[in-house]
Amino acid sequence: MTRAYNFSSGPAGLPESVLRQAQDELLEWGGERASVMEVSHRGKAFMAMAAQAEQDLRELMAIPENYKVLFLQGGASQHFAQIPMNLAKPGQAADYVVTGTWSQKAAKEAAFHLEPHVAASSEDDGFRRIPARAQWALREDAAFVHVASNETIHGVEFHEAPEVGAVPLVADMSSNILSRPIDVSKYGLIYAGAQKNIGPSGLVILIVREDLLARSAGRLPRILDYAVHAAEQSLLNTPSTFAWYLSGRVFQWLKAQGGLEEMARRNDRKAAALYAAIDGSGGYYRNQVEVAVRSRMNVPFVLHDAALDAIFLEESRAAGFLALKGHRIVGGMRASIYNAMPEEGVAALIAFMHDFATRHG
Ligand SMILES: *Cc1c(COP(=O)(O)O)cnc(C)c1O
């Protein structure tokens, strides 16, 4: 058996060289004579690894000094609820821009703590676009403005941080963090579950502007309070140690590849090639997202005849392409092409799609 090209949306494929390194280190990590999974998170070796991982991430993303980086648990979904608790006073409102399933879920969870105000939504258009910024009904007294920078299910991506004035911008970057350089200073808080474009599940990374940490003001149980986690360097309780370690290995891999500028070039080429193949198929394959906001990470597409879906999935799997089935909400197919997907994988998929269309025309 050999490893296939994995187009899973998450947990997603990891760089093969990182997995090999983890395999080499699995039984004995560093000089510890034990696995990284078997040592104290408060021991010297783990703390040094954790500090290195943070430093590498800071370098990769050029994170300014006045931002804290947290390595927490609970998935992005838990932070849908926890962010409002930390950033809004009880009863205070926050603005949500709804561009797909994930930002919609974020708004729904927020409603347990505050009044989420949907400032704009593209639901009526089947989440195929991002409402024009001029049409967002933002409020000056909002605690924050929330967006999902990439909608993993609908394949819609913000290619720039929207301007929202003085109100802090909060972004769920679960599925496009580290895919290109961004200006962190445009955001109040960035968060991302690891299992899409970073590492294994079980870890959530938050990048939060220091002044916002004061907003929780001791109102929350310590385990929910970002200010406490920041003060404790994300070691308030036992963290997800293996996921933290493996994510650190991915950061080193990214640096060795040439950092986020190089990842952006590769990701742009992969996405451009796949969309060109879809658009150039004479309607055999179709992607319905407005071209300007198409995702570079998740490419949903439908076949001209849904009766072919099952055959496409069966044949693609046999040919060595995993997890191309689209999310049940949108149907059809989806190719997730995160950092770990090599350009050869996308080229091979395009060749398969072309061949499939010829044979099943
Ligand atoms: C996968 C995903 C989530 C949910 O992540 P969990 O770890 O399952 O909570 C949230 N937002 C986006 C954009 C995602 O892609």
Side-chain angles (χ1 to χ4, degrees):
M1 296 291 280
T2 50
R3 283 172 60 77
Y5 288 123
N6 185 357
F7 293 90
S8 172
S9 60
L14 290 161
E16 189 168 317
S17 63
V18 170
L19 291 176
R20 286 193 189 288
Q21 186 180 16
Q23 186 176 39
D24 285 345
E25 298 176 338
L26 192 67
L27 298 187
E28 293 194 43
W29 172 60
E32 293 302 291
R33 305 183 68 187
S35 165
V36 65
M37 285 181 277
E38 303 170 306
V39 299
S40 168
H41 56 291
R42 300 190 195 282
K44 228 175 169 177
F46 189 87
M47 302 256 296
M49 182 285 296
Q52 185 67 48
E54 177 177 336
Q55 195 189 314
D56 288 338
L57 181 65
R58 282 186 175 275
E59 246 175 74
L60 280 165
M61 292 183 70
I63 299 173
E65 289 282 313
N66 61 326
Y67 284 73
K68 293 283 190 199
V69 179
L70 306 180
F71 292 79
L72 304 182
Q73 303 186 55
S77 301
Q78 181 177 311
H79 296 274
F80 289 165
Q82 210 170 327
I83 287 166
M85 292 178 198
N86 276 272
L87 297 194
K89 296 191 197 93
Q92 200 181 5
D95 286 333
Y96 280 76
V97 178
V98 175
T99 54
T101 299
W102 291 116
S103 47
Q104 194 166 47
K105 282 195 178 173
K108 220 170 157 183
E109 289 301 298
F112 286 92
H113 181 76
L114 50 64
E115 190 197 320
H117 167 243
V118 175
S121 169
S122 54
E123 186 171 17
D124 288 350
D125 299 310
F127 294 130
R128 289 176 191 160
R129 59 184 192 91
I130 292 176
R133 171 65 189 84
Q135 277 148 26
W136 296 9
L138 298 181
R139 302 192 292 190
E140 272 171 30
D141 59 350
F144 56 86
V145 181
H146 182 281
V147 297
S149 63
N150 184 63
E151 289 283 358
T152 320
I153 294 172
H154 290 86
V156 171
E157 184 174 11
F158 280 87
H159 294 299
E160 268 163 31
E163 291 297 339
V164 295
V167 176
L169 179 62
V170 172
D172 175 359
M173 289 197 186
S174 293
S175 51
N176 69 347
I177 191 167
L178 296 173
S179 66
R180 64 174 156 210
I182 58 158
D183 181 353
V184 173
S185 71
K186 295 217 152 127
Y187 299 86
L189 188 155
I190 291 166
Y191 65 114
Q195 73 271 22
K196 279 39 184 279
N197 206 21
I198 306 177
S201 61
L203 176 73
V204 181
I205 292 179
L206 286 91
I207 301 165
V208 53
R209 214 174 64 210
E210 259 165 16
D211 61 289
L212 299 177
L213 292 171
R215 291 189 178 190
S216 57
R219 279 184 287 108
L220 298 173
R222 286 165 55 77
I223 196 68
L224 298 179
D225 191 332
Y226 295 150
V228 174
H229 285 293
E232 300 285 335
Q233 294 169 294
S234 307
L235 296 172
L236 172 66
N237 68 327
T238 316
S240 190
T241 55
F242 186 76
W244 196 334
Y245 148 83
L246 202 79
S247 297
R249 290 294 185 227
V250 171
F251 301 153
Q252 286 173 359
W253 176 79
L254 287 168
K255 284 172 72 178
Q257 301 303 299
L260 301 194
E261 280 87 5
E262 174 58 17
M263 296 323 290
R265 283 191 286 272
R266 291 184 198 174
N267 288 327
D268 285 349
R269 285 197 297 264
K270 287 187 290 182
L274 187 48
Y275 284 116
I278 292 167
D279 294 343
S281 70
Y284 196 92
Y285 303 107
R286 268 178 304 127
N287 168 282
Q288 292 169 326
V289 176
E290 196 178 273
V291 172
V293 296
R294 280 173 163 179
S295 168
R296 298 157 312 124
M297 298 280 102
N298 309 97
V299 181
F301 60 94
V302 292
L303 276 68
H304 71 103
D305 178 0
L308 290 167
D309 285 3
I311 308 168
F312 184 91
L313 287 169
E314 193 183 307
E315 287 192 13
S316 60
R317 195 179 167 88
F321 306 103
L322 301 187
L324 284 167
K325 192 172 168 48
H327 193 279
R328 60 186 185 282
I329 292 174
V330 293
M333 308 298 149
R334 171 176 50 173
S336 295
I337 49 176
Y338 303 119
N339 285 341
M341 172 58 63
E343 290 186 71
E344 310 86 80
V346 173
L349 174 64
I350 291 169
F352 170 83
M353 287 167 67
H354 185 73
D355 179 59
F356 185 91
T358 309
R359 284 184 295 107
H360 295 278

